[in-house]
Each structure stands twice: as C-alpha cells, then as structure tokens.
Amino acid sequence: MTRFIGRYLRELVNPRYEVRAFIHQCYTIGYSSLALIGTTGFIMGLVLTMQLRPSLIAYGVVSQLPVMVSLAIVREIGPVISALIFAGKISSSIGAELGSMRVTEQIDAMEVSGTNPFKFLVVSRVLAATLMLPLLTILSDAIALYGSYLGVNIKGHTSLQLFFSDVFDALHYGDVMPALIKTFFFGAAVGLIGCYKGYNSSKGTAGVGLAANSAVVASSLAIFIIDLLAVQITDLLGLN
Amino acid sequence: MSITERYRLAQMVHTDGPVIKVSNLKKGFGTRVVLDDLSVELSRGESMVVLGRSGSGKSVFIKCIIGLLKPDAGSIHVLGQDLAALDHDQTDQLRSHIGFLFQSNALYDSMTIRENLEFPMRRHRNTLVREQLDEHIIKTLTNVGLAHTADMMPAELSGGMQKRIALARALVLNPEIILYDEPTSGLDPITSKEISSLMTGIQEQYNTSSIIISHDMSCVKRTADRIMVLLGGKCYAMGTWAELARSNDDNIKQFFE
C-alpha cells in the first residue's frame, strides 16, 4: 500500500496529464453521489434535531438547538457520515470496476497500447475522489442544516433567518476549516483504497467481489482512523 | 524522449534481420521455471505458431516479448531494440509497432467500439484531427467486416464479432508485428475458420510478422509458416506443418493426431 501511495504521488506530478479521464471521473464520482449524500444529509439534520430537542427542553436550553445541531453537523457528523456513504458507494464501485478490468486483461491491454494504466485509471479516480468529497460534504452540511430547520419547526416555530443567524453565529473558522480539510484526506483514502484493492485484485470473479468488499471495509476503517488523528491534531493546534 | 531518439526508433523498423530475436530467455514464478533457456527468431513477414500444452509458458513467452512480464534472464530484441535497455517512453513507442490480440479480447467494456479503437491512437497518433481519426477507424473496421458496429458497445456483439474488433484494435496502428494469444479459442468451427482466414488476409495486406499461440490445429495449419513446439520451457521442435506432421516423436505426434 505504501508503494502504491508513493507511485500515486509520483504519477500525480509527472507530466502527460489525463485531463479528460479526470473530468469524466469527477462527473461519475461527484455527480452520481449527489442524490445519495444530499438525502442522507437531510435525514441526518432532521433526525438529530428531533432527538436532541427533548433533552434540551429538559435542561431548559431549547433555544440552543440550532447552535448544537450546527456544531455537531459541521464539525463531525457531516464529514464522517458523508465520507462513510461515499466509501460505501465509490470505494466498492472503484474496487469492482478495476478488479474486473484486471481479470479481463483490460489493464494489460491499456499498457500494451502505450497508455499508462496507473495514470489513466488510478490517478484520475483518486484525484477526483479527493476533490469531490469536500464539495459533497459542504452540500450535505447545507442540506442537513435545512433539515434541522424543518425539524425545529415541527414542534415549534423559528424563522429561516433567525435559525441560520444562530447557526452562523455559532460557527467559527476553527469549526469549519479543520472539518473541511479532513474531508480531502477522507476522499483520498477512499479513492486510494478502492483503487489499490481493484488494481491488485487476484484473478477470478471471486477476486473482484473480494476487492469491492474489502475496499469498503478498509475505507470505512481508514475514515475513523483519519478522524481520530484529525481530532488530535486540531486539539494540539488549539482549534477544539 | 529526444527528437534524435524518436528518429532512431522510427528508422529501426526498416532495419534488416529478424524482427524478434529471443536469446536464452528464462522466466519463472516462485520456484516454478516456466521458460528455460529459450532462444528463437522471427523473420520479417513470417508467421510462427507456438504449440504447447496448457501451462507450458506460451502466453508467458509473448507477454515477455511485449514487455508485460520481465524475463529473469536472457535478452529480447524487437525490431532491433533490446527491450531491457528501453525506458518507459521508448517501450511505449516500440509497442506502437506491435499489435496484441488477447485471449479474452480485453475490449474496454465501458467504451464504444469506436472509442476502443481510438484509445491506442490518442497516444500514438495524437496529431490526427477528428475526421482523419474517424476515417482511419472506419477503414480498419471495414477490413474486419464490422464497420457498422462503430457506435455499439462490446457487450452488444457476439464472441466472434468481439474477436474481430479486438483484431481491429490490434491493427489500428498498422503494426509490423502481431502477437495472437489463442485467437480462435471459444469460437465455433465456422467462426474460427473465418478468423483464421482474416489473419492470413491481414498478414498479406499489412505485411506483418506474427506469433500465434493456438491449440486449434485447423487454425495452425492455415496460418503457420513455421511451428515451434514448447516443452519443459524449451523449444522442443521447430519446423513446418508438413515436417512436424511426419514426426514419429510422441510429444509432437499428439498435437497432429
């Protein structure tokens, strides 16, 4: 895996960029995940608000609901849940696609035709995953906050303006930026693990299934490990 | 790659002598030796068939020639160039003179037939404009009798048609050498005969040299100028169809019975 990451970094900066393949992957990876991540975000915001409301009422701080929900979503739940959904959808699909291409000798055919398959298949996918996940997370957070606003209004009444005014008052640079930065690492991990598992898939259809499955498991684990490291780093930097 | 190197590489395809020269080739996987001290030459315009039992190293042999596998020892010269001495760009440039037909066809299943044929050209004929590309692709597809499939997906085609498309993709850069890995496997006898005829037609039309791996003896008889029998990782016998068919050696006779 370390050698695979090293090769990725080398091929990433070496000239002869596969721009068309990269744009195609941005569309495939980003656009195809929009609906799933958007829906998840909406449900996440709505449910979190409805679950928190009774507890906050018990403590007499229900007015802090937008603040608590927005901090939870933007700092932790939004990035991690989006990344896990992304891993389930993208990492498995990359693992299966590249695994199947390996088994049917399509990767060898690319090499024989003079195209660098690593650059064409791996670099374009990992880079697209790295850049698309942060954008999807921003969208997911926004939809989750809107879901939360609807959740607040199920049993109460708050204007949209007042709700988002509370939200933006509560959020600071130290809440938004570290959370956004870690999504680049989540995206890179999802892309790299999916590509590694697929590209090095053993022969046979069982190998393809195994590549897809292990890509999801390893990506999900990697997301939690990166999250743990990110929390430690932001804590050391005094951003928590 | 410098302009001088490009010029040298472009010129080398016109040099005399064997187009492929394999000397003392050794290749193994773990403790298992697959190719052991194999030496063979292929002349310009010649078609050589490699016969051997399953697992005898036939595919490994042609994968070493195209550079997909690295030999453990020995040397391979293709069109006058020592494969081991070439860098990545030079190997890619050399590969543009070699067509490779995979046993599984290896068509890119997420691309149309047109895109499959365009793929090698993006890298090696990137100065061509859209109209020239299209013209060349349709001409190549016409040569294999499938011009009407340009905008279809590989999954929409039969096994025989996929084989023809794979052959068209191997031909799209007008290679001087074609390596065929079991070109008729999995095909019915009629389609198999059509593919064999197509191969001999291509050989005459494009004046290519070829190495063919096949178990299909009717294809072997139809296409081979010379046959090499691979046994124990070595060249066990070499000769024309007529010469080998007369042999009393049990290891050779079993292929011709």
Side-chain angles (χ1 to χ4, degrees):
Chain A
M1 185 70 191
T2 312
R3 282 160 88 184
F4 193 82
I5 295 171
R7 186 173 176 197
Y8 164 71
L9 294 172
R10 268 200 317 279
E11 300 279 8
L12 181 65
V13 293
N14 281 347
R16 197 182 292 282
Y17 304 109
E18 297 286 355
V19 179
R20 275 176 64 186
F22 166 66
I23 292 170
H24 176 70
Q25 286 307 323
C26 283
Y27 176 81
T28 309
I29 289 174
Y31 181 74
S32 71
S33 308
L34 263 179
L36 184 62
I37 288 188
T39 308
T40 314
F42 179 78
I43 294 169
M44 191 169 63
L46 187 67
V47 170
L48 189 64
T49 305
M50 292 171 73
Q51 296 272 25
L52 271 175
R53 189 184 177 89
S55 306
L56 295 185
I57 287 172
Y59 287 103
V61 286
V62 73
S63 62
Q64 294 299 303
L65 192 53
V67 175
M68 287 203 66
V69 171
S70 61
L71 282 173
I73 286 174
V74 171
R75 289 184 69 134
E76 186 62 27
I77 299 175
V80 172
I81 297 289
S82 300
L84 289 173
I85 298 287
F86 191 73
K89 187 173 190 313
I90 300 302
S91 202
S92 60
S93 107
I94 292 176
E97 188 183 6
L98 296 194
S100 151
M101 289 183 79
R102 170 65 73 197
V103 168
T104 55
E105 297 182 304
Q106 291 178 52
I107 293 179
D108 286 344
M110 277 187 186
E111 195 158 351
V112 164
S113 71
T115 298
N116 181 343
F118 195 93
K119 197 176 260 291
F120 187 82
L121 298 171
V122 175
V123 174
S124 60
R125 278 168 175 75
V126 177
L127 192 58
T130 308
L131 298 180
M132 287 299 107
L133 184 57
L135 295 177
L136 288 166
T137 304
I138 292 170
L139 179 91
S140 169
D141 286 357
I143 294 174
L145 289 174
Y146 185 72
S148 172
Y149 161 73
L150 293 180
V152 167
N153 277 280
I154 288 174
K155 287 186 177 172
H157 180 74
T158 306
S159 71
L160 188 69
Q161 194 180 8
L162 180 61
F163 178 84
F164 277 98
S165 168
D166 284 350
V167 166
F168 288 122
D169 281 347
L171 293 174
H172 297 101
Y173 177 84
D175 300 315
V176 179
M177 285 316 287
L180 191 60
I181 290 168
K182 72 182 174 188
T183 59
F184 284 96
F185 290 93
F186 290 162
V190 168
L192 277 167
I193 292 170
C195 286
Y196 175 76
K197 296 288 182 184
Y199 202 78
N200 297 303
S201 157
S202 56
K203 298 269 180 186
T205 45
V208 177
L210 190 66
N213 182 264
S214 59
V216 178
V217 174
S219 298
S220 304
L221 188 63
I223 286 165
F224 286 116
I225 292 170
I226 293 169
D227 195 40
L228 180 68
L229 292 173
V231 167
Q232 300 298 320
I233 292 167
T234 48
D235 198 40
L236 285 172
L237 295 173
L239 292 170
N240 276 343
Chain B
M1 189 164 41
S2 70
I3 292 170
T4 317
E5 281 173 315
R6 277 185 191 282
Y7 179 75
R8 184 172 57 81
L9 217 55
Q11 289 297 303
M12 79 192 179
V13 299
H14 301 299
T15 56
D16 292 330
V19 287
I20 294 176
K21 185 178 179 187
V22 177
S23 310
N24 310 108
L25 177 65
K26 282 188 182 179
K27 178 69 188 172
F29 299 95
T31 53
R32 184 169 161 254
V33 178
V34 177
L35 298 175
D36 186 13
D37 209 24
L38 179 66
S39 298
V40 66
E41 290 184 2
L42 181 73
S43 307
R44 187 171 295 279
E46 185 187 23
S47 173
M48 183 173 79
V49 169
V50 182
L51 274 181
R53 297 183 64 177
S54 296
S56 61
K58 305 182 296 295
S59 295
V60 172
F61 171 57
I62 57 170
K63 283 184 177 173
C64 285
I65 292 172
I66 196 78
L68 282 175
L69 293 174
K70 279 193 176 172
D72 297 334
S75 68
I76 300 173
H77 287 77
V78 179
L79 297 168
Q81 293 289 298
D82 182 359
L83 275 191
L86 300 181
D87 66 19
H88 200 273
D89 272 355
Q90 289 170 324
T91 307
D92 279 351
Q93 191 64 28
L94 182 63
R95 280 172 175 163
S96 71
H97 298 285
I98 308 170
F100 195 107
L101 182 74
F102 286 85
Q103 185 179 358
S104 61
N105 302 328
L107 294 175
Y108 310 125
D109 48 19
S110 60
M111 300 182 193
T112 63
I113 301 305
R114 186 190 301 276
E115 288 165 341
N116 263 277
L117 267 69
E118 252 180 52
F119 199 85
M121 300 186 74
R122 289 172 346 114
R123 174 75 168 81
H124 296 289
R125 303 284 187 274
N126 53 8
T127 53
L128 295 182
V129 294
R130 182 76 254 167
E131 291 74 24
Q132 290 172 310
L133 263 177
D134 279 343
E135 191 187 335
H136 185 68
I137 286 166
I138 295 299
K139 188 181 157 201
T140 311
L141 284 173
T142 306
N143 286 341
V144 297
L146 290 174
H148 62 286
T149 62
D151 296 311
M152 294 168 80
M153 299 300 284
E156 295 175 72
L157 306 178
S158 68
M161 289 165 96
Q162 287 188 16
K163 193 66 81 179
R164 282 166 179 259
I165 297 297
L167 190 51
R169 190 179 63 184
L171 286 171
V172 79
L173 294 173
N174 298 328
E176 300 193 40
I177 301 167
I178 306 183
L179 307 176
Y180 298 91
D181 192 356
E182 306 213 15
T184 57
S185 71
L187 300 177
D188 64 82
I190 297 166
T191 313
S192 172
K193 195 173 165 186
E194 284 173 5
I195 296 288
S196 303
S197 302
L198 197 57
M199 286 161 63
T200 49
I202 282 163
Q203 177 121 7
E204 286 163 18
Q205 188 181 347
Y206 289 80
N207 191 31
T208 54
S209 314
S210 48
I211 295 180
I212 302 158
I213 290 172
S214 183
H215 290 121
D216 175 358
M217 294 311 282
S218 66
C219 170
V220 175
K221 189 174 184 181
R222 204 174 271 270
T223 55
D225 294 325
R226 199 156 53 114
I227 300 168
M228 174 173 80
V229 179
L230 202 58
L231 189 71
K234 294 177 190 290
C235 173
Y236 184 76
M238 178 81 83
T240 62
W241 172 276
E243 287 166 354
L244 294 183
R246 282 199 303 268
S247 172
N248 290 322
D249 189 309
D250 286 344
N251 287 320
I252 299 171
K253 258 167 56 180
Q254 61 188 346
F255 288 106
F256 291 84
E257 282 168 356

